[in-house]
Amino acid sequence: MSKDFIEEYKEFLSECKTERECVSEIVRMAENAGFRDVMKCDSLKAGDKVYSVKMKKAVALFTIGTSGIENGMNILGAHIDSPRLDVKQNPVYEKDFLVYLNTHYYGGIKKYQWVTIPLAIHGVVCRKDGSVVDIRIGEDEGDPVFCISDILPHLAQKQMKESAAEFIPGESLDLVIGSGIPRRKGDDKDDEEKKKEKASAKKAVMALIKEKYGIEESDFGSAELEIVPAGRARDLGLDRSLILAYGQDDRSCAYASVRALLEGGCGARTSCCICVDKEEIGSVGATGMGSHFFENAVAEVVARLPEGFSELSLRRCLANSSMLSSDVNAAFDPMNADLFDRANASFLGGGIVFNKYTGSRGKSGASDANPEFIARLRNILDAAGVRYQMAELGKVDQGGGGTIAFEAAKYGMNVLDAGVSVLSMHAPWEITSREDIMQAFGAYKAFLSLD
Protein backbone atom coordinates (compact mmCIF):
# COMPACT_ATOMS: atom_id res chain seq x y z
CA MET A 1 0.00 0.00 0.00
CA SER A 2 2.74 2.44 0.98
CA LYS A 3 4.72 1.93 -2.22
CA ASP A 4 1.64 2.17 -4.45
CA PHE A 5 0.45 5.30 -2.66
CA ILE A 6 3.79 7.05 -3.09
CA GLU A 7 4.02 6.13 -6.77
CA GLU A 8 0.51 7.47 -7.33
CA TYR A 9 1.45 10.62 -5.42
CA LYS A 10 4.50 11.15 -7.62
CA GLU A 11 2.34 10.69 -10.71
CA PHE A 12 -0.07 13.32 -9.38
CA LEU A 13 2.79 15.78 -8.88
CA SER A 14 4.15 15.09 -12.36
CA GLU A 15 0.83 15.52 -14.14
CA CYS A 16 -0.76 18.28 -12.03
CA LYS A 17 1.43 21.39 -12.00
CA THR A 18 -1.34 24.00 -12.15
CA GLU A 19 -4.54 24.55 -10.19
CA ARG A 20 -6.66 23.62 -13.19
CA GLU A 21 -4.78 20.36 -13.68
CA CYS A 22 -5.14 19.55 -9.97
CA VAL A 23 -8.89 20.21 -9.94
CA SER A 24 -9.42 18.18 -13.11
CA GLU A 25 -7.59 15.20 -11.63
CA ILE A 26 -9.28 15.50 -8.22
CA VAL A 27 -12.71 15.54 -9.88
CA ARG A 28 -11.73 12.49 -11.95
CA MET A 29 -10.64 10.65 -8.78
CA ALA A 30 -13.79 11.70 -6.96
CA GLU A 31 -16.15 10.59 -9.72
CA ASN A 32 -14.39 7.23 -9.87
CA ALA A 33 -15.10 6.95 -6.12
CA GLY A 34 -18.81 7.67 -6.63
CA PHE A 35 -18.93 11.43 -6.07
CA ARG A 36 -21.39 13.59 -8.04
CA ASP A 37 -21.62 17.30 -8.82
CA VAL A 38 -23.77 18.79 -6.06
CA MET A 39 -25.51 21.04 -8.59
CA LYS A 40 -26.88 17.93 -10.31
CA CYS A 41 -28.40 16.57 -7.08
CA ASP A 42 -31.95 17.48 -5.99
CA SER A 43 -31.54 16.12 -2.47
CA LEU A 44 -28.90 14.57 -0.22
CA LYS A 45 -28.90 12.00 2.56
CA ALA A 46 -26.38 10.28 4.82
CA GLY A 47 -23.72 8.47 2.80
CA ASP A 48 -24.06 10.62 -0.31
CA LYS A 49 -20.85 11.93 -1.87
CA VAL A 50 -20.76 15.24 -3.75
CA TYR A 51 -18.34 17.88 -4.98
CA SER A 52 -18.41 21.54 -5.98
CA VAL A 53 -16.00 23.30 -8.34
CA LYS A 54 -15.27 27.02 -8.72
CA MET A 55 -13.81 28.35 -11.97
CA LYS A 56 -11.95 25.07 -12.49
CA LYS A 57 -9.37 26.17 -9.87
CA ALA A 58 -10.94 25.27 -6.51
CA VAL A 59 -12.88 22.20 -5.42
CA ALA A 60 -14.72 21.01 -2.31
CA LEU A 61 -15.65 17.36 -1.63
CA PHE A 62 -18.28 16.20 0.88
CA THR A 63 -19.33 12.84 2.34
CA ILE A 64 -22.63 13.39 4.14
CA GLY A 65 -22.68 12.11 7.73
CA THR A 66 -25.47 10.52 9.76
CA SER A 67 -25.88 13.31 12.31
CA GLY A 68 -27.42 16.70 11.64
CA ILE A 69 -25.32 19.16 9.66
CA GLU A 70 -25.65 21.73 12.46
CA ASN A 71 -23.34 19.51 14.54
CA GLY A 72 -20.53 20.55 12.21
CA MET A 73 -18.12 18.87 9.82
CA ASN A 74 -14.60 17.46 9.88
CA ILE A 75 -12.73 19.46 7.26
CA LEU A 76 -9.36 19.02 5.55
CA GLY A 77 -8.29 22.26 3.86
CA ALA A 78 -5.32 22.53 1.49
CA HIS A 79 -4.17 24.78 -1.32
CA ILE A 80 -3.19 23.68 -4.81
CA ASP A 81 -1.35 26.76 -6.09
CA SER A 82 2.45 26.90 -5.97
CA PRO A 83 5.08 29.58 -6.63
CA ARG A 84 5.80 29.95 -10.33
CA LEU A 85 6.05 32.43 -13.20
CA ASP A 86 2.92 33.69 -14.96
CA VAL A 87 2.89 34.84 -18.59
CA LYS A 88 1.93 38.50 -19.07
CA GLN A 89 -0.96 39.60 -21.30
CA ASN A 90 1.25 41.03 -24.06
CA PRO A 91 4.15 38.63 -23.69
CA VAL A 92 5.88 37.87 -27.00
CA TYR A 93 8.74 40.12 -28.09
CA GLU A 94 11.99 39.92 -29.99
CA LYS A 95 15.24 41.49 -28.88
CA ASP A 96 18.40 41.20 -30.96
CA PHE A 97 17.35 37.99 -32.70
CA LEU A 98 16.12 36.21 -29.54
CA VAL A 99 12.38 35.75 -28.95
CA TYR A 100 11.13 36.04 -25.38
CA LEU A 101 7.98 35.42 -23.37
CA ASN A 102 7.45 38.14 -20.78
CA THR A 103 6.57 36.90 -17.28
CA HIS A 104 5.45 38.06 -13.83
CA TYR A 105 6.46 35.89 -10.87
CA TYR A 106 3.74 34.50 -8.59
CA GLY A 107 4.22 33.92 -4.86
CA GLY A 108 7.35 34.00 -2.77
CA ILE A 109 10.29 32.87 -4.90
CA LYS A 110 14.04 33.34 -4.94
CA LYS A 111 14.33 34.68 -8.46
CA TYR A 112 17.84 33.37 -9.04
CA GLN A 113 16.62 29.77 -8.60
CA TRP A 114 14.56 30.02 -11.80
CA VAL A 115 17.34 30.85 -14.25
CA THR A 116 19.13 28.28 -16.47
CA ILE A 117 16.82 25.36 -15.60
CA PRO A 118 14.47 23.59 -18.05
CA LEU A 119 10.99 25.09 -17.86
CA ALA A 120 7.60 24.09 -19.25
CA ILE A 121 4.46 26.04 -20.17
CA HIS A 122 1.10 24.86 -18.80
CA GLY A 123 -2.28 26.53 -19.05
CA VAL A 124 -5.11 27.64 -21.30
CA VAL A 125 -5.73 30.23 -23.98
CA CYS A 126 -9.35 31.36 -24.35
CA ARG A 127 -10.42 32.63 -27.75
CA LYS A 128 -13.10 35.26 -28.32
CA ASP A 129 -15.45 32.64 -29.76
CA GLY A 130 -15.51 30.86 -26.39
CA SER A 131 -13.25 27.97 -27.34
CA VAL A 132 -10.43 27.06 -24.97
CA VAL A 133 -7.04 25.74 -26.06
CA ASP A 134 -5.11 23.63 -23.57
CA ILE A 135 -1.37 24.27 -23.57
CA ARG A 136 1.25 21.90 -22.19
CA ILE A 137 4.73 22.17 -23.69
CA GLY A 138 7.95 20.85 -22.23
CA GLU A 139 6.86 17.70 -20.40
CA ASP A 140 6.86 15.00 -23.07
CA GLU A 141 10.14 13.47 -24.18
CA GLY A 142 9.91 14.95 -27.67
CA ASP A 143 8.88 18.42 -26.50
CA PRO A 144 11.13 21.46 -26.56
CA VAL A 145 11.73 23.12 -23.19
CA PHE A 146 12.28 26.77 -22.30
CA CYS A 147 14.82 28.62 -20.23
CA ILE A 148 15.74 31.95 -18.64
CA SER A 149 19.32 32.90 -19.49
CA ASP A 150 21.91 34.25 -17.05
CA ILE A 151 25.22 36.11 -17.25
CA LEU A 152 28.40 34.06 -17.57
CA PRO A 153 30.65 34.29 -14.47
CA HIS A 154 33.42 35.93 -16.53
CA LEU A 155 31.25 39.07 -16.94
CA ALA A 156 29.34 38.94 -13.66
CA GLN A 157 31.55 41.11 -11.45
CA LYS A 158 28.84 43.73 -10.90
CA GLN A 159 26.09 41.12 -10.55
CA MET A 160 28.01 39.18 -7.90
CA LYS A 161 28.27 42.28 -5.72
CA GLU A 162 24.51 42.79 -5.60
CA SER A 163 22.17 41.19 -3.05
CA ALA A 164 20.35 37.98 -3.91
CA ALA A 165 17.08 39.91 -3.99
CA GLU A 166 18.43 42.30 -6.61
CA PHE A 167 20.87 40.63 -8.95
CA ILE A 168 18.07 38.93 -10.93
CA PRO A 169 15.38 41.62 -11.45
CA GLY A 170 11.81 40.42 -11.84
CA GLU A 171 11.62 41.98 -15.30
CA SER A 172 14.56 39.81 -16.38
CA LEU A 173 12.71 36.55 -15.74
CA ASP A 174 11.69 36.26 -19.38
CA LEU A 175 11.64 32.94 -21.20
CA VAL A 176 13.69 32.27 -24.31
CA ILE A 177 11.23 30.67 -26.75
CA GLY A 178 12.99 31.06 -30.11
CA SER A 179 15.75 32.72 -32.09
CA GLY A 180 16.59 34.22 -35.43
CA ILE A 181 19.74 34.43 -37.52
CA PRO A 182 21.52 37.78 -37.36
CA ARG A 183 22.73 39.33 -40.61
CA ARG A 184 26.42 39.45 -41.29
CA LYS A 185 28.13 42.61 -40.18
CA GLY A 186 28.74 44.92 -43.10
CA ASP A 187 25.74 43.71 -45.11
CA ASP A 188 24.35 46.65 -47.02
CA LYS A 189 20.59 46.75 -46.43
CA ASP A 190 18.17 49.64 -46.48
CA ASP A 191 16.17 50.66 -43.41
CA GLU A 192 13.00 48.90 -44.58
CA GLU A 193 14.81 45.58 -45.00
CA LYS A 194 16.42 45.95 -41.56
CA LYS A 195 13.03 46.67 -39.98
CA LYS A 196 11.52 43.53 -41.55
CA GLU A 197 14.49 41.44 -40.50
CA LYS A 198 14.37 42.68 -36.92
CA ALA A 199 10.96 41.11 -36.26
CA SER A 200 11.40 38.03 -38.42
CA ALA A 201 12.18 35.63 -35.56
CA LYS A 202 9.10 36.67 -33.60
CA LYS A 203 6.94 36.28 -36.71
CA ALA A 204 8.32 32.79 -37.26
CA VAL A 205 7.56 31.80 -33.65
CA MET A 206 4.05 33.24 -33.82
CA ALA A 207 3.48 31.39 -37.09
CA LEU A 208 4.43 28.12 -35.36
CA ILE A 209 2.06 28.88 -32.48
CA LYS A 210 -0.79 29.68 -34.85
CA GLU A 211 -0.15 26.57 -36.92
CA LYS A 212 -0.15 24.21 -33.92
CA TYR A 213 -2.71 25.86 -31.62
CA GLY A 214 -4.71 28.24 -33.80
CA ILE A 215 -3.79 31.13 -31.52
CA GLU A 216 -3.38 34.73 -32.59
CA GLU A 217 -1.04 37.05 -30.69
CA SER A 218 -4.03 38.99 -29.35
CA ASP A 219 -5.36 35.78 -27.74
CA PHE A 220 -2.66 36.01 -25.07
CA GLY A 221 -4.81 38.77 -23.57
CA SER A 222 -7.29 36.11 -22.41
CA ALA A 223 -4.79 33.39 -21.51
CA GLU A 224 -3.76 31.79 -18.24
CA LEU A 225 -0.30 30.36 -18.82
CA GLU A 226 2.03 29.24 -16.04
CA ILE A 227 5.77 28.62 -16.28
CA VAL A 228 6.81 25.65 -14.15
CA PRO A 229 9.88 23.41 -13.88
CA ALA A 230 9.94 20.78 -16.62
CA GLY A 231 10.27 17.18 -15.52
CA ARG A 232 8.73 14.51 -13.35
CA ALA A 233 8.78 13.83 -9.63
CA ARG A 234 11.72 11.60 -8.71
CA ASP A 235 12.98 9.51 -5.81
CA LEU A 236 15.82 11.27 -4.01
CA GLY A 237 18.75 9.52 -2.32
CA LEU A 238 20.33 6.11 -2.69
CA ASP A 239 17.83 4.74 -0.18
CA ARG A 240 14.94 6.39 -2.07
CA SER A 241 13.62 7.75 1.23
CA LEU A 242 12.94 11.23 -0.13
CA ILE A 243 10.95 12.75 -3.00
CA LEU A 244 12.16 15.57 -5.24
CA ALA A 245 9.41 17.39 -7.11
CA TYR A 246 7.89 20.73 -8.00
CA GLY A 247 4.82 21.96 -6.10
CA GLN A 248 4.97 19.80 -2.97
CA ASP A 249 3.93 22.96 -1.14
CA ASP A 250 1.07 22.31 -0.90
CA ARG A 251 0.13 19.46 -3.20
CA SER A 252 1.66 16.93 -0.82
CA CYS A 253 -1.02 17.78 1.74
CA ALA A 254 -3.73 18.29 -0.88
CA TYR A 255 -3.21 14.84 -2.37
CA ALA A 256 -3.07 13.11 1.02
CA SER A 257 -6.22 14.99 2.11
CA VAL A 258 -8.17 14.07 -1.01
CA ARG A 259 -7.17 10.42 -0.75
CA ALA A 260 -8.12 10.36 2.94
CA LEU A 261 -11.61 11.62 2.15
CA LEU A 262 -12.11 9.35 -0.86
CA GLU A 263 -11.09 6.28 1.11
CA GLY A 264 -13.07 7.20 4.22
CA GLY A 265 -16.56 5.97 4.96
CA CYS A 266 -19.75 7.61 6.19
CA GLY A 267 -19.36 8.72 9.81
CA ALA A 268 -21.52 10.64 12.21
CA ARG A 269 -20.15 13.99 11.06
CA THR A 270 -20.04 15.12 7.45
CA SER A 271 -16.52 14.92 6.04
CA CYS A 272 -15.17 17.66 3.78
CA CYS A 273 -11.99 18.28 1.82
CA ILE A 274 -11.44 21.67 0.23
CA CYS A 275 -8.58 22.49 -2.15
CA VAL A 276 -8.28 26.19 -2.94
CA ASP A 277 -6.23 28.56 -5.06
CA LYS A 278 -4.27 31.78 -4.36
CA GLU A 279 -2.87 30.87 -0.92
CA GLU A 280 0.61 31.86 -2.04
CA ILE A 281 -0.55 35.45 -2.65
CA GLY A 282 -2.85 35.90 0.35
CA SER A 283 -5.87 33.63 -0.30
CA VAL A 284 -7.45 36.36 -2.42
CA GLY A 285 -9.75 36.21 -5.45
CA ALA A 286 -12.83 34.17 -6.28
CA THR A 287 -11.00 30.85 -5.92
CA GLY A 288 -9.04 31.62 -2.74
CA MET A 289 -10.04 30.69 0.82
CA GLY A 290 -10.75 34.36 1.49
CA SER A 291 -13.66 34.22 -0.98
CA HIS A 292 -17.17 32.89 -0.28
CA PHE A 293 -16.55 29.73 -2.32
CA PHE A 294 -16.33 27.42 0.70
CA GLU A 295 -19.31 28.98 2.45
CA ASN A 296 -21.37 28.85 -0.75
CA ALA A 297 -20.46 25.20 -1.36
CA VAL A 298 -21.55 24.26 2.16
CA ALA A 299 -24.78 26.22 1.66
CA GLU A 300 -25.54 24.16 -1.47
CA VAL A 301 -25.10 20.99 0.58
CA VAL A 302 -27.24 22.24 3.47
CA ALA A 303 -30.02 23.27 1.07
CA ARG A 304 -30.32 19.69 -0.22
CA LEU A 305 -30.50 17.96 3.18
CA PRO A 306 -33.84 16.91 4.72
CA GLU A 307 -33.62 19.69 7.34
CA GLY A 308 -33.61 22.33 4.60
CA PHE A 309 -31.62 25.53 4.39
CA SER A 310 -31.54 28.37 6.86
CA GLU A 311 -28.86 30.96 7.49
CA LEU A 312 -28.73 29.85 11.13
CA SER A 313 -28.17 26.20 10.17
CA LEU A 314 -25.30 27.22 7.90
CA ARG A 315 -23.72 29.36 10.62
CA ARG A 316 -24.05 26.60 13.23
CA CYS A 317 -22.57 24.07 10.84
CA LEU A 318 -19.49 26.22 10.20
CA ALA A 319 -19.01 27.27 13.84
CA ASN A 320 -19.28 23.68 15.11
CA SER A 321 -16.85 22.29 12.52
CA SER A 322 -13.25 21.23 13.06
CA MET A 323 -10.54 21.70 10.47
CA LEU A 324 -7.01 20.61 9.80
CA SER A 325 -5.36 23.23 7.64
CA SER A 326 -3.40 20.76 5.56
CA ASP A 327 -0.31 22.81 4.81
CA VAL A 328 3.42 22.20 4.90
CA ASN A 329 6.07 23.31 7.37
CA ALA A 330 9.74 24.12 6.88
CA ALA A 331 11.89 21.05 7.56
CA PHE A 332 14.94 21.49 9.78
CA ASP A 333 17.93 22.21 7.54
CA PRO A 334 21.25 21.01 9.04
CA MET A 335 23.12 23.25 6.59
CA ASN A 336 21.32 26.30 8.02
CA ALA A 337 20.68 25.18 11.58
CA ASP A 338 21.05 28.70 13.02
CA LEU A 339 17.69 29.67 11.46
CA PHE A 340 15.78 27.13 13.56
CA ASP A 341 14.91 26.53 17.19
CA ARG A 342 15.90 22.87 17.05
CA ALA A 343 13.63 21.82 19.92
CA ASN A 344 10.65 23.32 18.08
CA ALA A 345 11.57 22.37 14.52
CA SER A 346 10.10 19.67 12.29
CA PHE A 347 12.33 16.99 10.80
CA LEU A 348 12.06 15.03 7.57
CA GLY A 349 10.75 11.59 8.47
CA GLY A 350 9.38 12.73 11.83
CA GLY A 351 5.73 12.40 10.81
CA ILE A 352 2.98 14.93 10.25
CA VAL A 353 3.69 18.39 11.69
CA PHE A 354 1.30 20.31 13.96
CA ASN A 355 1.74 24.09 14.02
CA LYS A 356 -0.28 25.49 16.92
CA TYR A 357 0.20 28.94 15.43
CA THR A 358 1.64 30.38 12.24
CA GLY A 359 2.16 34.06 11.43
CA SER A 360 5.42 35.98 11.70
CA ARG A 361 7.48 37.29 14.58
CA GLY A 362 4.92 38.30 17.25
CA LYS A 363 2.39 35.85 15.78
CA SER A 364 1.26 38.53 13.32
CA GLY A 365 -1.43 37.12 11.04
CA ALA A 366 -1.54 33.88 13.03
CA SER A 367 -4.28 31.36 13.59
CA ASP A 368 -3.68 30.07 17.12
CA ALA A 369 -5.32 26.69 17.79
CA ASN A 370 -7.12 25.85 21.03
CA PRO A 371 -5.18 23.38 23.22
CA GLU A 372 -8.35 21.35 23.89
CA PHE A 373 -8.63 20.63 20.17
CA ILE A 374 -4.96 19.67 19.93
CA ALA A 375 -5.34 17.29 22.88
CA ARG A 376 -8.23 15.49 21.14
CA LEU A 377 -6.12 15.09 18.02
CA ARG A 378 -3.13 13.80 19.96
CA ASN A 379 -5.37 11.21 21.58
CA ILE A 380 -6.85 9.90 18.34
CA LEU A 381 -3.51 9.88 16.50
CA ASP A 382 -1.78 8.03 19.35
CA ALA A 383 -4.58 5.45 19.26
CA ALA A 384 -4.15 5.11 15.48
CA GLY A 385 -0.36 4.77 15.73
CA VAL A 386 0.29 7.89 13.65
CA ARG A 387 3.58 9.71 14.15
CA TYR A 388 3.39 13.47 14.63
CA GLN A 389 5.63 16.34 15.70
CA MET A 390 4.94 19.80 17.12
CA ALA A 391 6.87 22.62 15.46
CA GLU A 392 7.21 26.22 14.36
CA LEU A 393 8.40 27.53 11.00
CA GLY A 394 11.74 28.83 12.30
CA LYS A 395 13.27 31.10 14.93
CA VAL A 396 10.95 33.85 16.13
CA ASP A 397 12.77 36.81 14.59
CA GLN A 398 13.72 35.10 11.32
CA GLY A 399 10.40 35.63 9.58
CA GLY A 400 7.40 33.37 9.34
CA GLY A 401 4.48 32.51 7.12
CA GLY A 402 0.77 31.90 6.97
CA THR A 403 -1.76 29.37 5.71
CA ILE A 404 -5.50 29.30 5.03
CA ALA A 405 -6.18 28.52 8.71
CA PHE A 406 -7.02 32.09 9.71
CA GLU A 407 -9.66 32.31 6.98
CA ALA A 408 -11.45 29.20 8.28
CA ALA A 409 -11.08 30.34 11.89
CA LYS A 410 -13.24 33.38 11.09
CA TYR A 411 -16.26 31.08 11.21
CA GLY A 412 -15.47 30.20 14.83
CA MET A 413 -14.43 26.62 14.14
CA ASN A 414 -11.47 24.77 15.63
CA VAL A 415 -8.51 24.94 13.22
CA LEU A 416 -4.99 23.54 13.44
CA ASP A 417 -2.24 23.57 10.83
CA ALA A 418 -1.15 20.00 10.13
CA GLY A 419 1.05 18.97 7.22
CA VAL A 420 4.27 17.67 5.76
CA SER A 421 7.82 18.95 6.35
CA VAL A 422 9.45 20.38 3.23
CA LEU A 423 13.14 21.09 2.62
CA SER A 424 13.92 23.80 0.03
CA MET A 425 10.35 25.10 0.30
CA HIS A 426 9.28 27.39 -2.58
CA ALA A 427 12.27 26.32 -4.67
CA PRO A 428 11.57 24.95 -8.17
CA TRP A 429 12.36 21.50 -6.78
CA GLU A 430 11.27 20.72 -3.20
CA ILE A 431 12.18 17.78 -0.93
CA THR A 432 9.83 15.71 1.22
CA SER A 433 10.03 12.37 3.02
CA ARG A 434 8.06 9.34 1.83
CA GLU A 435 7.44 8.50 5.49
CA ASP A 436 5.89 11.91 6.17
CA ILE A 437 3.52 11.62 3.20
CA MET A 438 2.21 8.32 4.54
CA GLN A 439 1.92 9.61 8.11
CA ALA A 440 -0.01 12.65 6.89
CA PHE A 441 -2.39 10.39 4.99
CA GLY A 442 -2.92 8.29 8.13
CA ALA A 443 -3.45 11.37 10.27
CA TYR A 444 -6.03 12.84 7.90
CA LYS A 445 -7.96 9.56 7.81
CA ALA A 446 -7.97 9.36 11.60
CA PHE A 447 -9.11 12.99 11.91
CA LEU A 448 -12.06 12.46 9.57
CA SER A 449 -13.34 9.72 11.90
CA LEU A 450 -13.68 12.14 14.86
CA ASP A 451 -17.22 12.32 16.25
Side-chain angles (χ1 to χ4, degrees):
M1 170 58 185
S2 173
K3 183 178 179 181
D4 290 344
F5 186 96
I6 293 298
E7 292 307 311
E8 289 160 1
Y9 166 62
K10 286 159 55 183
E11 183 69 14
F12 178 81
L13 292 177
S14 299
E15 295 299 324
C16 303
K17 294 187 178 182
T18 70
E19 304 86 345
R20 287 173 180 263
E21 290 169 347
C22 287
V23 168
S24 177
E25 176 60 13
I26 290 168
V27 168
R28 186 196 67 80
M29 293 165 61
E31 289 181 341
N32 285 346
F35 283 70
R36 298 175 294 157
D37 186 340
V38 69
M39 302 307 292
K40 297 179 180 179
C41 301
D42 295 327
S43 61
L44 296 174
K45 63 183 185 304
D48 283 345
K49 303 174 181 182
V50 293
Y51 66 84
S52 178
V53 172
K54 183 66 175 179
M55 295 181 178
K56 301 181 180 180
K57 292 185 285 185
V59 60
L61 310 172
F62 301 88
T63 299
I64 309 303
T66 57
S67 67
I69 196 70
E70 288 189 8
N71 294 328
M73 303 178 290
N74 293 335
I75 306 163
L76 296 170
H79 68 91
I80 47 177
D81 60 316
S82 294
R84 59 177 189 262
L85 306 177
D86 284 343
V87 176
K88 290 186 179 182
Q89 284 70 54
N90 298 296
V92 185
Y93 69 94
E94 181 178 346
K95 192 171 186 179
D96 293 323
F97 308 103
L98 284 177
V99 186
Y100 294 93
L101 205 59
N102 205 342
T103 72
H104 188 134
Y105 64 89
Y106 172 98
I109 69 170
K110 293 180 177 178
K111 296 188 286 290
Y112 65 82
Q113 293 179 332
W114 287 77
V115 301
T116 72
I117 63 172
L119 297 169
I121 303 174
H122 291 229
V124 295
V125 177
C126 303
R127 300 193 192 96
K128 289 190 296 182
D129 63 5
S131 60
V132 177
V133 181
D134 290 312
I135 304 292
R136 183 184 172 99
I137 314 171
E139 299 292 356
D140 293 338
E141 190 173 334
D143 281 355
V145 293
F146 308 94
C147 190
I148 300 165
S149 63
D150 194 15
I151 304 171
L152 67 161
H154 311 69
L155 301 179
Q157 294 183 51
K158 180 178 180 294
Q159 183 192 58
M160 298 294 281
K161 293 175 183 177
E162 295 174 338
S163 71
E166 297 169 339
F167 75 79
I168 302 289
E171 291 292 350
S172 295
L173 293 175
D174 291 350
L175 232 58
V176 176
I177 62 169
S179 68
I181 300 174
R183 62 186 177 86
R184 290 185 302 173
K185 286 182 171 53
D187 279 1
D188 188 21
K189 294 188 177 181
D190 59 31
D191 290 340
E192 190 60 34
E193 285 181 301
K194 290 176 182 178
K195 192 182 293 184
K196 289 179 181 178
E197 184 184 60
K198 190 174 182 182
S200 61
K202 175 186 172 180
K203 287 180 179 177
V205 167
M206 286 308 306
L208 287 171
I209 292 172
K210 184 174 182 179
E211 179 184 357
K212 184 165 185 178
Y213 299 105
I215 297 169
E216 302 286 351
E217 186 171 357
S218 60
D219 291 328
F220 283 106
S222 52
E224 186 172 81
L225 298 173
E226 301 179 13
I227 310 302
V228 298
R232 304 186 67 78
R234 302 283 297 274
D235 291 335
L236 175 64
L238 292 174
D239 58 358
R240 298 179 181 270
S241 61
L242 305 173
I243 298 168
L244 182 70
Y246 166 69
Q248 296 197 81
D249 174 11
D250 181 39
R251 293 173 190 139
S252 57
C253 298
Y255 183 79
S257 296
V258 169
R259 285 288 297 267
L261 183 72
L262 297 185
E263 297 184 21
C266 173
R269 283 160 69 90
T270 293
S271 296
C272 171
C273 175
I274 179 168
C275 296
V276 291
D277 183 18
K278 299 294 188 289
E279 190 275 344
E280 296 295 358
I281 57 171
S283 295
V284 296
T287 52
M289 193 63 186
S291 73
H292 290 291
F293 164 60
F294 174 59
E295 183 180 332
N296 291 343
V298 176
E300 294 291 352
V301 169
V302 173
R304 288 163 173 76
L305 293 172
E307 306 96 290
F309 177 83
S310 75
E311 183 71 16
L312 183 58
S313 291
L314 175 62
R315 295 298 163 192
R316 285 174 174 169
C317 168
L318 293 171
N320 291 328
S321 293
S322 297
M323 175 176 172
L324 291 186
S325 171
S326 308
D327 207 343
V328 299
N329 189 60
F332 180 79
D333 183 354
M335 303 301 291
N336 295 280
D338 60 319
L339 299 176
F340 297 84
D341 171 7
R342 196 177 189 282
N344 290 284
S346 64
F347 290 80
L348 290 175
I352 190 170
V353 187
F354 288 161
N355 286 82
K356 185 179 185 297
Y357 45 81
T358 52
S360 59
R361 296 180 175 85
K363 295 187 179 180
S364 175
S367 173
D368 205 337
N370 280 350
E372 293 89 347
F373 180 48
I374 300 174
R376 289 185 66 205
L377 286 170
R378 290 175 56 218
N379 183 53
I380 193 170
L381 295 190
D382 284 341
V386 175
R387 295 182 64 195
Y388 58 89
Q389 46 188 328
M390 312 291 293
E392 296 183 9
L393 186 62
K395 282 186 176 178
V396 175
D397 286 334
Q398 290 298 331
T403 65
I404 65 171
F406 78 100
E407 295 287 1
K410 290 177 181 177
Y411 296 110
M413 66 178 70
N414 276 309
V415 185
L416 175 65
D417 282 297
V420 173
S421 290
V422 177
L423 196 60
S424 303
M425 189 191 298
H426 280 215
W429 297 99
E430 298 171 319
I431 301 169
T432 60
S433 163
R434 298 168 73 103
E435 177 67 17
D436 291 341
I437 303 298
M438 293 308 305
Q439 293 298 325
F441 174 61
Y444 296 151
K445 287 187 71 174
F447 164 73
L448 291 177
S449 69
L450 273 173
D451 291 332

